[in-house]
Amino acid sequence: MKLISILTALVVAAALYAVVLDRERLMGWARGGAPEDSAADSAAQTSDGTAATDAPQEPQEPQTTAPEPGAVAVMARHSKAQEIDDAVLLRGETQASREVEVLAEAGGRVISEPLPKGTMVDAGEVLCKLDPGTTGAALTEAEARLAEARAQRPQTEAALPEAEAVLAQAQAAVAEAEINLTAARELSQGGYSSRTTVASAEAKMRAAEASVRSAEAGLEAARAGTDSLEASIQSAEAAVASARKAVDNLTITAPFAGVLESDTAELGLLMSTTGNASCAHVLKLDPIRLVGYAPEADITRVTLGARAGAQIAGEMWQGEVTFVSRQADETTRTFRVEVTLANPDLKLRAGQTARILIEAAGAMAHLLPQSALTLNDDGRMGLRIVSAEQTAQFVPVSILRDTPEGVWVAGLPDEVDVITLGQEYVTDGVPVAPSYQEIIPEEMSQ
């Protein structure tokens, strides 16, 4: 068996030597004559212009550059860069656009039948109902106190104008007493009135002033009573609102439209605000979110609103970029990117793996066979090209897209001669004798 393997290796090596390094002699032998005879016939035709014109044209071989002494024969292609639609490729997964674990805001025993998981619910739809207990009675009591406080408002408000009228009357009495006192004093000075009259007028003046102070106190009391009543009404209204909130908390509803990921709470389950009992787990899957992480080299090419395509479970979906993180992950040094997709039929589920392509600005690239790629001594991926001095030269490249026709690579000049066969047998600076062929067939360029 080892002998057969050795013979096979020798045959393959001889064939490669004939195709790559001794191609002219092989082609001459294939035409039925020696390479020298073929070269002599070609020289005779060249020296005789008439014969060269009249002779039937043979199919032209790919142009071969005259090899320098010691040059290595390689196959190469003329390549010209083309502008292609670029895209950023990410790996990610689907996530629900909204997700919530619905918990109870009040304690109580569940009195509603459970809804099965997978049920579609609308926003505000009842998920769980709790036993009201004394909560309803507390609401009735609070409403009664509010009604009682509001009933006192007419009486309290009527006391205010009454107190203002009393004050006005007292002020008028003060003015009258002041006039009488002034008159009595003037008559007394002229000897027309006794001192007893003056003293009586002064007493009436002090009584009128006391009445004013009493009326002012009554007015302040009326105003305080009004303010106190308003405070009582507001306190009663707050108590009613609190009682109504407690009653509302007994009915747990869906915060948004979605699908139940779990059964709602079982009938008879005791729920409390301090426990971890859940009423329901709700997911919103329309629209659905794709989450991927872009490396530093690609994040600048991702923009908000850019169109994006995703391959999920063998199907293609379209959406747009709705979030690009401004801060890199401390561990992976990548940036979170979110794409939003419409999912009306809920065909997509949360947690599915997605291959995301995000539209980016166009780039100049070359379409080359993947077999032309090679590695240099440092392990960098690239291509070997034919330099202007007809020597091999390594150029690092980056792959933009992989297609059935070949790979689109960037990093090369706009026009370049790429070594497609024999690149593994030459290094930088080694003279080469390239034979050329077109890099892109007509059907690829259309």
Side-chain angles (χ1 to χ4, degrees):
M1 294 297 293
K2 293 183 178 180
L3 180 60
I4 295 176
S5 300
I6 294 173
L7 291 177
T8 303
L10 291 176
V11 172
V12 172
L16 289 175
Y17 177 84
V19 171
V20 177
L21 302 180
D22 208 357
R23 184 170 177 275
E24 292 297 328
R25 182 174 298 177
L26 178 63
M27 295 302 296
W29 176 79
R31 289 193 293 266
E36 293 79 359
D37 297 340
S38 176
D41 294 341
S42 177
Q45 290 179 1
T46 303
S47 60
D48 187 357
T50 304
T53 303
D54 297 339
Q57 297 294 324
E58 294 289 339
Q60 294 292 327
E61 294 294 327
Q63 181 182 358
T64 304
T65 305
E68 298 181 4
V72 179
V74 295
M75 296 293 292
R77 290 183 178 180
H78 299 292
S79 178
K80 189 173 183 179
Q82 302 179 55
E83 184 175 3
I84 64 170
D85 294 333
D86 197 6
V88 178
L89 175 62
L90 304 179
R91 299 285 182 179
E93 65 174 2
T94 58
Q95 291 185 0
S97 56
R98 300 177 72 180
E99 180 177 2
V100 66
E101 193 78 25
V102 184
L103 303 177
E105 295 184 75
R109 195 172 301 279
V110 178
I111 59 174
S112 60
E113 292 291 337
L115 299 176
K117 53 189 171 185
T119 302
M120 299 297 301
V121 295
D122 297 325
E125 184 173 342
V126 176
L127 301 178
C128 301
K129 295 184 87 173
L130 305 181
D131 185 7
T134 60
T135 307
L139 174 59
T140 303
E141 181 181 358
E143 290 176 341
R145 289 180 179 177
L146 176 59
E148 181 181 358
R150 287 175 175 173
Q152 296 176 3
R153 177 177 285 172
Q155 181 181 357
T156 305
E157 290 178 348
L160 182 60
E162 182 179 352
E164 291 175 345
V166 172
L167 177 60
Q169 184 179 0
Q171 290 173 344
V174 168
E176 181 181 359
E178 186 177 2
I179 293 173
N180 292 335
L181 177 60
T182 302
R185 285 175 178 174
E186 290 178 352
L187 291 174
S188 177
Q189 290 175 358
Y192 298 103
S193 177
S194 64
R195 287 182 295 178
T196 304
T197 304
V198 173
S200 177
E202 289 177 348
K204 291 181 178 180
M205 179 65 183
R206 288 193 292 271
E209 289 176 346
S211 297
V212 169
R213 288 193 292 271
S214 177
E216 289 176 345
L219 179 60
E220 291 298 326
R223 289 174 177 172
T226 302
D227 294 339
S228 176
L229 177 61
E230 290 298 326
S232 299
I233 292 175
Q234 291 178 2
S235 176
E237 289 175 344
V240 170
S242 177
R244 285 178 178 170
K245 179 63 176 176
V247 171
D248 292 340
N249 288 340
L250 298 175
T251 302
I252 305 174
T253 59
F256 51 80
V259 60
L260 293 179
E261 184 63 14
S262 64
D263 295 342
T264 59
E266 184 59 61
L267 178 66
L269 177 67
L270 180 62
M271 303 189 71
S272 66
T273 56
T274 57
N276 57 358
S278 170
C279 170
H281 187 187
V282 185
L283 300 179
K284 185 177 179 64
L285 298 177
D286 182 27
I288 198 169
R289 180 188 303 155
L290 301 183
V291 178
Y293 292 87
E296 296 181 48
D298 294 333
I299 192 61
T300 55
R301 297 192 293 155
V302 180
T303 58
L304 284 175
R307 292 186 302 175
Q311 185 177 19
I312 307 171
E315 295 186 23
M316 294 301 299
W317 299 78
Q318 290 186 350
E320 68 175 24
V321 177
T322 53
F323 175 76
V324 180
S325 176
R326 294 287 180 177
Q327 183 176 4
D329 183 88
E330 295 182 359
T331 304
T332 62
R333 308 306 303 168
T334 56
F335 295 83
R336 182 184 177 99
V337 177
E338 295 182 2
V339 176
T340 301
L341 304 177
N343 187 28
D345 300 330
L346 303 186
K347 294 180 64 177
L348 297 179
R349 306 169 186 268
Q352 289 185 274
T353 303
R355 184 173 181 266
I356 308 169
L357 282 173
I358 301 175
E359 184 180 55
M364 299 300 292
H366 295 258
L367 180 59
L368 297 167
Q370 192 170 9
S371 59
L373 296 172
T374 186
L375 299 176
N376 65 359
D377 294 338
D378 297 329
R380 296 188 64 185
M381 181 178 63
L383 297 164
R384 283 196 169 87
I385 66 172
V386 180
S387 67
E389 293 78 17
Q390 296 294 298
T391 58
Q393 178 183 351
F394 179 84
V395 178
V397 297
S398 58
I399 297 178
L400 299 182
R401 192 179 304 167
D402 189 359
T403 67
E405 295 80 15
V407 290
W408 289 95
V409 297
L412 296 173
D414 290 343
E415 295 188 10
V416 66
D417 296 336
V418 180
I419 299 176
T420 58
L421 184 61
Q423 70 272 21
E424 302 294 346
Y425 302 101
V426 293
T427 57
D428 287 357
V430 173
V432 293
S435 297
Y436 292 98
Q437 59 183 353
E438 293 298 326
I439 181 109
I440 304 177
E442 293 183 0
E443 59 271 14
M444 292 185 185
S445 62
Q446 292 178 351

